[in-house]
Amino acid sequence: MIKITHLLLAISSIVIIETSVIAQVIDKDFKTSYSHFKIPDNIQPNDYMANTVIVKLKPQYRSISSANTIEDVLFKQLYTSIGGAGLVKKFPHSPPPASAVNRSGQQLMDLSLIYEFTYSASVSLEKVINKFAQLPLFQYAEPHYIPHLHYVPNDPLLSVQYAITNIQAENAWGINTTTARGDTNIVIGIVDTGTEPTHEDLKSQIKHNYADKIGGGDTDGDGYIDNFSGWDLGMNDNNPTWEGSAHGVHTSGIAAAAVNNAKGIAGVGFNCKFLPIKIADATGTLTKSYEGITYAADHGCSVISCSWGGTGWSQMGQDVVTYATINKNALVIASAGNDNKDLASYPAAYQYVISVANVRSDDRRSASSTWNYSVDLSAPGEAIRSTYSGNSYADLTGTSMSAPCVAGAAAIVHAFYPSYTALQIGERLKVTTDNNYSLMNPSFKDKLGTGRLNLYKALTMANTSPSVVTTQRNIIDGNDNTFVIGDTLQLRDNYTNYLAPTTNLIATLSTTSPYVTIVNGTATLGAVATLGTANNSSTPYKVKIASTAPLNQPIIFKITFSDAATSYTAVEYFTVVVNVDYINITINDVATTVNSRGRIGYNLDNQVGGLGFNYMNKGTIMYEGGLMIGVDSGRVSDAIRGFTTVPENEFQSLVNVRKIVPATVSDFDVDGTFNDNLAKIPIKIKVHQKTYAWASAGNRKFVIVQYVISNTGTSPLTNLYAGVFADWDIDATTFKEDRTGFDATNKMGYAYYTGANGTYGGVKLLTKSAPVLNYAMDNIAGGAGGIDPFTGGYNGFDKYSTLSSNRYNAGVAGTGNDILDVVSTGPYTIAAGDSIKVAFALIAGDNLPDIQISAVNAQIKYDGIVTTTSISQNTMLNNPDVMSVYPNPTNGESIININILETASVELKIFNLLGAEIKTIASEKMQAGTHRLSYDTSALSNGLYYYQLTVDNKKYIHKLMVSK
């Protein structure tokens, strides 16, 4: 049925082409107006029957017709003059419809008045058709077109490639023999585990770099020696042959296996080439994943296929994708994941990436496929036959198979629409899918993208559909940008229309959540041209957070785009977490989380809500972490495990942690406050925590946490110790091959995996007001002679002992143990109403010298923080003696005056309210004196921005209001 439907669509398209060349003429013999027919130039003689005409009678002449006659004098004269013969009804078994319209008022089709005949005269078909078209009897006269089987290659395994049929690739390839079958200059980057360059179905499809043929040198100067046939980033050589896993061999074939070579399978990309980019090491571990995307973008790939991912978001990952897409105009396509759950996977869920879910041969969701609002479309991915190792073929299942299917289709669309940008190609694929949601459980609605890929429609559907996407979203609450109960959020969005123009585009915000109220949810965006932009800055969406909102409540919002004139509708989802009490820090190589109640790594137990302590995007090396403060064995306040592995949760948030925008101390500042009122026996303390992280070289492998601990009671606190507890799980396989150590020089307790090339994690004391202590525990029965948290739990007595005493080594026997570690400082005495400050660096690295270097750098950074913050916050945030801005508000040029007391390194940047850098205005050495700088704000949307001035180690912030 699907094939027949699209065959009819193909014929309809021919009719459209025909009518485009119709001209009104007057026939001198019949003195009547008619439409002149001409066979279109793209129709070949074998596309229609010679000397054969099809006509359709007008309904009012039904009475003069029968099965094989038309009783009309003029018709019979013309019919006889050309040697007409064999007049018959085309559909003799189709009676006239009983009524003109159906119950919906739609016109019913009458096939009973269609006739066909042949003729023997030596007269052109065009002339004969035009003669009959002049008669008043007929609605139309036309040739008998011959439909062909849409292109069927001779690859012997094509019959088992149901995906080729489902996405209508053969029909698409059959549109014409050039652009619809791709282009050898269009390259698909297969960023995977490597390929098999000698495979019979792949060897002819590899894109070779003729600027750097094999010869032992870097002929093209790109930094890679002899990268003639791709590159192995995992092993840093020019042989992209797979190692560890043949996964990449399979994905290569799906996207780009040779077609019509009488061998194996057919790749969706037909004539398009592929560039094998191996990102795995010898074991198959993906060690160079995002480097692979960059390599593909830099080496001419217009489509990049990534059949891999994870749940960890990183700014680097987004930056790489942005580079490939925006800088290099390459479309990144990624698999959505095989977790069988509602989950965002990366890189698939990054902005600009086309995320692909997996559907079966019957278009239902594959049982293993991830689903999520971040998915853009679906493609076949279950039991997919493709190339495999040893010059063989194999059936594999997963979104890994779906992504290269879409990548191959994207390459064909690129060849067919060469003027399209990468993002336009992606949007074209999205708006031309087949809607298969009627086959899905309602819970998957909008979570498998717009539907299942249809390559034929992507090439043939008229270019009348817009495709509007949110390209920037600014959310503010008018104060501290910590979205808590009672706040009214303003959402200002920028939109881009990638395809056909809109006429009167409306965007509507909605949600089903009871925890917010939409005060204003409609934006009239109007006419938006192709590649044009629009925004709702003048009338932002407004959302009020209800008093009933739970902590860390995710609110799913839906944007519905509609344009009645073009019949365009589309939806887009995004999530805003309100009443939050944790922050993810992903600015450098140690992605982690801090919450509002003293926990580090995760917001809740069982690794819920957070990133752990993720070094170099390899996965977390910490199961649990957090602050402990104790004054005796009966009074220890913390938010980590107790008698069981469930956290004590004795800290209560007073001010939820929030990102300081823009950052004033580091590149990512976090601030929050809590007390210990939830403890069974409170110490009566308040803790003001600050967290700092940097993205600069030398400072990327640590995060600093600082705690100002205040005595809120009426009596002095004595023998107070404060420390960071860490359950290190550096060995990700068994968690039982870790060992601890202590570096007295750097005041750092650390843990490491005892196997080869083991990662190191550590906690370093930064403050100097009390000594460092380190207690390491073996998390096994008996505790290996130390405190035993494994058998009896981690009670208050044990906690105070580990805070106030030393045991430097754990996991010393054999290959190590499951270990825990506490790095602390004390004793302190805090008078009533007074406070102390303690700070620690959380560090990860490749080896001991690596974390020791970071320990030194962390100390330098922290000492600089202490110096810098000796200036009052008000002075730092707004010091007119140092920086002044006018006019403010502004609708155009903004003038910034800077007063420098002595020669210094000066940097001036402007940020939006989300902390995203808009531009570096100046970065130079300046002499003492007053300097006048300017910045043109005409490209900025209305709203609040910040200038950040850095003079040597000191930062100054000044607000800027743009109002047009």
Side-chain angles (χ1 to χ4, degrees):
M1 177 62 78
I2 293 175
K3 286 186 177 180
I4 293 173
T5 300
H6 287 286
L7 176 59
L8 292 174
L9 286 175
I11 293 173
S12 297
S13 69
I14 293 172
V15 173
I16 292 170
I17 294 171
E18 291 169 2
T19 57
S20 69
V21 295
I22 286 175
Q24 284 292 93
V25 299
I26 301 295
D27 183 83
K28 294 180 180 179
D29 293 331
F30 296 99
K31 307 297 182 184
T32 185
S33 175
Y34 71 96
S35 295
H36 180 75
F37 171 76
K38 182 180 183 301
I39 295 175
D41 293 337
N42 64 334
I43 300 298
Q44 303 302 314
N46 64 343
D47 292 330
Y48 56 87
M49 284 187 178
N51 291 26
T52 303
V53 179
I54 293 174
V55 294
K56 184 174 184 180
L57 275 175
K58 293 177 181 177
Q60 60 265 40
Y61 297 109
R62 183 184 301 277
S63 61
I64 63 170
S65 66
S66 63
N68 52 14
T69 62
I70 298 175
E71 298 295 333
D72 178 81
V73 174
L74 293 177
F75 170 76
K76 286 185 175 181
Q77 288 178 346
L78 182 58
Y79 183 77
T80 301
S81 69
I82 63 170
L87 179 69
V88 293
K89 278 192 174 185
K90 286 289 289 180
F91 306 101
H93 304 295
S94 296
S99 60
V101 297
N102 66 9
R103 66 177 61 182
S104 299
Q106 295 170 307
Q107 187 73 38
L108 295 173
M109 181 56 62
D110 183 3
L111 301 180
S112 67
L113 296 174
I114 301 175
Y115 289 79
E116 184 179 38
F117 62 88
T118 62
Y119 67 92
S120 58
S122 298
V123 183
S124 73
L125 182 60
E126 287 180 341
K127 181 175 286 190
V128 170
I129 286 174
N130 281 304
K131 285 292 184 180
F132 280 94
Q134 296 173 42
L135 298 177
L137 300 173
F138 301 118
Q139 292 185 27
Y140 58 77
E142 62 187 26
H144 180 146
Y145 288 108
I146 303 172
H148 300 290
L149 288 174
H150 285 158
Y151 190 74
V152 179
N154 60 12
D155 305 86
L157 295 178
L158 183 66
S159 61
V160 299
Q161 287 186 269
Y162 75 85
I164 296 293
T165 301
N166 284 18
I167 70 169
Q168 298 211 41
E170 293 166 274
N171 291 356
W173 298 335
I175 292 172
N176 61 51
T177 59
T178 54
T179 55
R181 298 181 187 175
D183 186 327
T184 58
N185 292 312
I186 293 174
V187 184
I188 305 166
I190 304 295
V191 181
D192 214 304
T193 62
T195 193
E196 187 168 278
T198 59
H199 196 289
E200 64 177 8
D201 235 358
L202 297 176
K203 60 186 178 182
S204 65
Q205 297 302 101
I206 295 175
K207 183 66 175 181
H208 295 298
N209 176 16
Y210 290 97
D212 197 355
K213 296 180 180 178
I214 305 300
D218 181 14
T219 309
D220 59 357
D222 67 347
Y224 300 91
I225 297 173
D226 293 345
N227 56 332
F228 179 63
S229 304
W231 194 257
D232 180 354
L233 287 162
M235 303 300 289
N236 195 31
D237 59 46
N238 69 342
N239 182 8
T241 301
W242 71 275
E243 292 178 274
S245 169
H247 183 273
V249 184
H250 201 267
T251 58
S252 298
I254 295 170
V259 180
N260 205 36
N261 64 342
K263 297 175 182 178
I265 64 161
V268 177
F270 206 106
N271 287 321
C272 299
K273 299 291 187 178
F274 80 98
L275 186 66
I277 302 161
K278 181 172 171 288
I279 58 174
D281 62 15
T283 68
T285 303
L286 306 184
T287 59
K288 299 292 183 181
S289 54
Y290 288 95
E291 293 90 335
I293 294 177
T294 304
Y295 183 94
D298 286 341
H299 288 82
C301 297
S302 54
V303 179
I304 301 172
S305 181
C306 304
S307 291
W308 46 268
T311 56
W313 180 94
S314 79
Q315 184 63 56
M316 181 205 72
Q318 179 63 70
D319 288 350
V320 167
V321 168
T322 301
Y323 172 82
T325 310
I326 304 303
N327 297 35
K328 297 294 184 176
N329 196 31
L331 180 65
V332 180
I333 296 169
S335 50
N338 304 319
D339 297 286
N340 189 27
K341 61 178 67 173
D342 189 342
L343 191 68
S345 178
Y346 300 92
Y350 285 131
Q351 186 181 19
Y352 304 129
V353 178
I354 296 296
S355 173
V356 187
N358 172 10
V359 291
R360 309 182 317 189
S361 60
D362 62 0
D363 278 345
R364 297 176 187 271
R365 184 188 71 90
S366 175
S368 63
S369 180
T370 294
W371 66 93
N372 190 254
Y373 285 132
S374 62
V375 173
D376 292 297
L377 75 164
S378 306
E382 185 163 305
I384 300 297
R385 181 72 53 89
S386 185
T387 48
Y388 209 62
S389 63
N391 208 37
S392 68
Y393 301 85
D395 294 348
L396 296 181
T397 294
T399 57
S400 282
M401 286 62 254
S402 306
C405 178
V406 176
I412 296 292
V413 172
H414 183 29
F416 203 78
Y417 295 100
S419 65
Y420 272 10
T421 66
L423 292 175
Q424 285 181 297
I425 293 169
E427 294 306 307
R428 179 78 180 177
L429 293 173
K430 286 166 57 179
V431 301
T432 56
T433 56
D434 286 335
N435 187 336
N436 57 347
Y437 278 109
S438 62
L439 304 173
M440 307 294 181
N441 184 293
S443 63
F444 300 130
K445 178 61 177 171
D446 295 330
K447 294 184 178 181
L448 293 167
T450 57
R452 193 253 303 121
L453 173 70
N454 186 321
L455 178 55
Y456 179 78
K457 284 172 63 176
L459 300 190
T460 59
M461 194 182 83
N463 297 317
T464 57
S465 175
S467 189
V468 181
V469 176
T470 303
T471 48
Q472 184 178 4
R473 174 165 289 118
N474 294 319
I475 307 176
I476 61 174
D477 63 359
N479 46 74
D480 59 2
N481 288 323
T482 299
F483 305 153
V484 296
I485 287 171
D487 280 349
T488 297
L489 308 184
Q490 294 188 27
L491 290 76
R492 291 181 168 89
D493 292 350
N494 292 341
Y495 305 103
T496 299
N497 177 24
Y498 288 100
L499 297 177
T502 67
T503 300
N504 186 28
L505 182 67
I506 305 295
T508 305
L509 180 73
S510 61
T511 182
T512 59
S513 172
Y515 302 119
V516 296
T517 299
I518 296 179
V519 180
N520 176 45
T522 302
T524 300
L525 305 175
V528 186
T530 301
L531 295 179
T533 60
N535 64 67
N536 69 329
S537 294
S538 60
T539 55
Y541 308 122
K542 292 183 180 180
V543 179
K544 187 169 183 178
I545 302 173
S547 60
T548 55
L551 283 175
N552 307 307
Q553 179 63 36
I555 308 294
I556 299 174
F557 290 101
K558 177 181 178 180
I559 296 281
T560 302
F561 300 105
S562 61
D563 183 30
T566 59
S567 301
Y568 170 67
T569 60
V571 296
E572 190 176 281
Y573 293 84
F574 64 96
T575 299
V576 178
V577 178
V578 302
N579 214 14
V580 295
D581 70 341
Y582 70 95
I583 295 285
N584 292 333
I585 304 169
T586 59
I587 198 169
N588 59 23
D589 296 333
V590 283
T592 192
T593 299
V594 293
N595 82 351
S596 300
R597 292 163 284 107
R599 285 180 64 82
I600 297 169
Y602 295 100
N603 187 44
L604 302 171
D605 63 310
N606 295 321
Q607 298 184 306
V608 173
L611 306 175
F613 197 65
N614 191 330
Y615 174 58
M616 298 295 287
N617 205 30
K618 297 177 181 178
T620 184
I621 60 174
M622 180 191 290
Y623 180 83
E624 181 187 9
L627 175 68
M628 296 197 305
I629 302 173
V631 292
D632 55 51
S633 60
R635 289 188 296 166
V636 177
S637 297
D638 61 82
I640 61 169
R641 69 187 66 183
F643 286 99
T644 66
T645 57
V646 177
E648 299 277 271
N649 289 325
E650 295 173 326
F651 291 131
Q652 179 182 38
S653 175
L654 298 176
V655 179
N656 288 346
V657 288
R658 64 197 187 280
K659 178 183 177 183
I660 303 300
V661 180
T664 60
V665 175
S666 67
D667 295 323
F668 196 103
D669 296 358
V670 177
D671 191 282
T673 305
F674 54 87
N675 61 28
D676 72 334
N677 286 2
L678 299 180
K680 295 181 182 65
I681 306 177
I683 303 173
K684 296 184 179 179
I685 53 175
K686 181 175 72 174
V687 180
H688 182 190
Q689 66 171 335
K690 291 180 177 290
T691 309
Y692 306 111
W694 290 264
S696 55
N699 304 305
R700 295 185 56 84
K701 297 184 178 183
F702 62 84
V703 171
I704 289 177
V705 287
Q706 174 186 280
Y707 306 102
V708 176
I709 304 169
S710 300
N711 180 356
T712 59
T714 57
S715 303
L717 296 174
T718 59
N719 293 316
L720 182 142
Y721 291 86
V724 171
F725 166 90
D727 179 351
W728 294 110
D729 281 343
I730 297 175
D731 166 24
T733 304
T734 67
F735 314 122
K736 295 179 180 179
E737 296 186 8
D738 294 339
R739 185 171 292 154
T740 68
F742 179 69
D743 179 354
T745 301
N746 286 301
K747 299 190 294 185
M748 176 174 61
Y750 60 89
Y752 61 97
Y753 171 49
T754 60
N757 302 315
T759 300
Y760 278 61
V763 177
K764 168 188 166 49
L765 176 67
L766 293 166
T767 44
K768 304 170 183 177
S769 50
V772 64
L773 297 100
N774 181 211
Y775 197 100
M777 291 171 275
D778 290 89
N779 194 26
I780 60 174
I787 286 175
D788 177 10
F790 183 85
T791 304
Y794 195 31
N795 57 37
F797 177 85
D798 292 341
K799 289 178 178 178
Y800 190 72
S801 295
T802 56
L803 280 170
S804 58
S805 60
N806 290 305
R807 182 178 186 254
Y808 296 128
N809 301 109
V812 296
T815 57
N817 278 325
D818 183 10
I819 55 92
L820 315 173
D821 199 37
V822 177
V823 176
S824 59
T825 182
Y828 286 95
T829 297
I830 311 177
D834 204 355
S835 63
I836 61 162
K837 182 186 295 181
V838 298
F840 304 88
L842 313 174
I843 306 171
D846 299 323
N847 47 52
L848 181 57
D850 194 19
I851 64 170
Q852 287 173 329
I853 291 171
S854 290
V856 172
N857 291 342
Q859 190 68 62
I860 293 170
K861 277 294 184 185
Y862 185 71
D863 291 345
I865 291 172
V866 174
T867 301
T868 302
T869 54
S870 63
I871 303 173
S872 73
Q873 186 75 352
N874 287 335
T875 301
M876 292 298 295
L877 288 179
N878 190 4
N879 189 332
D881 295 333
V882 177
M883 176 171 56
S884 60
V885 175
Y886 68 92
N888 196 2
T890 183
N891 60 4
E893 186 179 29
S894 174
I895 306 300
I896 310 100
N897 282 334
I898 301 172
N899 185 33
I900 309 297
L901 298 180
E902 57 185 24
T903 300
S905 295
V906 174
E907 183 178 69
L908 179 65
K909 296 182 177 183
I910 186 169
F911 296 82
N912 65 21
L913 272 180
L914 295 180
E917 181 182 335
I918 297 172
K919 183 178 179 62
T920 297
I921 300 169
S923 181
E924 59 187 279
K925 202 87 167 179
M926 288 187 179
Q927 302 295 319
T930 299
H931 301 263
R932 183 179 184 272
L933 302 175
S934 66
Y935 177 67
D936 183 3
T937 67
S938 59
L940 299 182
S941 303
N942 288 345
L944 189 61
Y945 298 83
Y946 286 90
Y947 286 121
Q948 176 181 281
L949 173 67
T950 304
V951 182
D952 287 336
N953 290 325
K954 298 177 182 179
K955 292 185 179 181
Y956 304 86
I957 305 299
H958 203 296
K959 294 180 181 179
L960 173 69
M961 177 62 71
V962 176
S963 179
K964 299 177 182 179

